[in-house]
Amino acid sequence: RGDMNFKFGKATPKLRAKRKLAALAQLDYESAAGINSDINYKAMMYYKIGIVHRDLLGDMAQADQYMQKAISTAPDSEAARMAGNR
């Protein structure tokens, strides 16, 4: 559901709806990271939360924190490579 909420958030021009969808997407990604023990999967969820902060909320500081968390969680993962190339 996180990807769906993110996608709808990108599509809506309404700021209030964008914020609500961003919060829902982040909650979904955090839940997914919390129930999965695979560090590569966790890193991808942290990367996606960073993208939510960057693209939906315009919060670059929070985005950077989650990108760094993705990198530190699984340094050799696809998420870490994408976070490093942002």
Side-chain angles (χ1 to χ4, degrees):
R1 289 188 335 197
D3 290 345
M4 178 184 69
N5 287 320
F6 175 75
K7 187 176 184 179
F8 287 142
K10 289 278 287 181
T12 187
K14 297 182 179 182
L15 186 57
R16 185 173 180 185
K18 194 175 290 278
R19 286 184 186 146
K20 177 144 179 99
L21 289 164
L24 290 171
Q26 180 170 349
L27 185 63
D28 291 336
Y29 292 140
E30 286 174 348
S31 280
I35 62 172
N36 199 306
S37 61
D38 179 2
I39 62 169
N40 293 313
Y41 185 82
K42 286 180 182 286
M44 184 58 74
M45 295 303 103
Y46 298 141
Y47 170 78
K48 288 183 176 193
I49 294 170
I51 295 298
V52 167
H53 281 277
R54 185 189 72 190
D55 292 355
L56 296 185
L57 301 173
D59 186 344
M60 298 307 289
Q62 278 293 99
D64 190 54
Q65 283 184 331
Y66 277 101
M67 297 293 181
Q68 290 302 319
K69 191 170 183 175
I71 292 168
S72 66
T73 299
D76 296 325
S77 68
E78 179 183 354
R81 282 190 295 280
M82 291 188 303
N85 291 332
R86 64 191 189 299

